[in-house]
């Protein structure tokens, strides 16, 4: 497996450069989760880092590698995977009252 030394910015791993395994496309994963064991023996705390571009070349604007930035919100922000058109959306469906915002129709009366 191929790996790449990737810098980490922010959070407890700030300033560290760790080898990260590359995927089939040659890129590191979009999110990097680091489980930190609890000192009291409880469930581990998971630190979440998001992949961002490290820099761009000045003339052509080409991308020069990746870095990971700390995400204190964790899994709540970021999507968590591909959005397929056939999958249900994460937003709740509007209620029946909100859908029927038009006033009720009155029956037509003949003109007299």
């Amino acid at each position: 497996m191929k790996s790449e030394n990737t810098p980490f910015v922010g959070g407890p791993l700030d300033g560290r450069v760790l080898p990260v395994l590359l995927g089939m496309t040659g890129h590191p994963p979009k999110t990097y989760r680091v489980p930190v064991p609890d000192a009291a023996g409880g469930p581990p705390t998971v630190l979440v880092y998001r992949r961002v571009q490290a820099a761009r070349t000045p003339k052509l604007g080409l991308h020069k590698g990746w870095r990971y930035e700390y995400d204190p919100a964790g899994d709540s922000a970021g999507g968590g995977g591909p959005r397929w058109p056939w999958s249900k959306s994460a937003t709740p469906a509007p209620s029946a009252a909100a859908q029927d915002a038009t006033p009720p129709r009155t029956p037509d009366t003949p003109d007299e």
Side-chain angles (χ1 to χ4, degrees):
M1 297 284 298
K2 193 172 181 182
S3 65
E4 180 179 292
N5 289 336
T6 309
F8 285 77
V9 178
L13 296 178
D14 190 23
R16 293 191 182 185
V17 178
L18 300 176
V20 176
L21 292 176
L22 303 178
M24 292 175 32
T25 60
H27 299 290
K30 290 183 180 181
T31 58
Y32 193 80
R33 291 175 176 82
V34 182
V36 178
D38 187 46
T45 303
V46 178
L47 304 174
V48 178
Y49 286 84
R50 304 265 179 224
R51 181 186 75 185
V52 294
Q53 283 189 358
R56 289 187 169 267
T57 58
K59 289 187 179 184
L60 298 176
L62 300 175
H63 138 60
K64 291 179 72 174
W66 301 102
R67 72 174 185 211
Y68 282 102
E69 291 184 355
Y70 179 63
D71 183 10
D75 289 334
S76 63
R83 295 190 38 91
W84 302 107
W86 54 83
S87 61
K88 293 183 179 178
S89 65
T91 58
S95 64
Q99 287 178 349
D100 193 21
T102 58
R105 185 174 176 197
T106 58
D108 292 334
T109 56
D111 291 334
E112 294 185 34

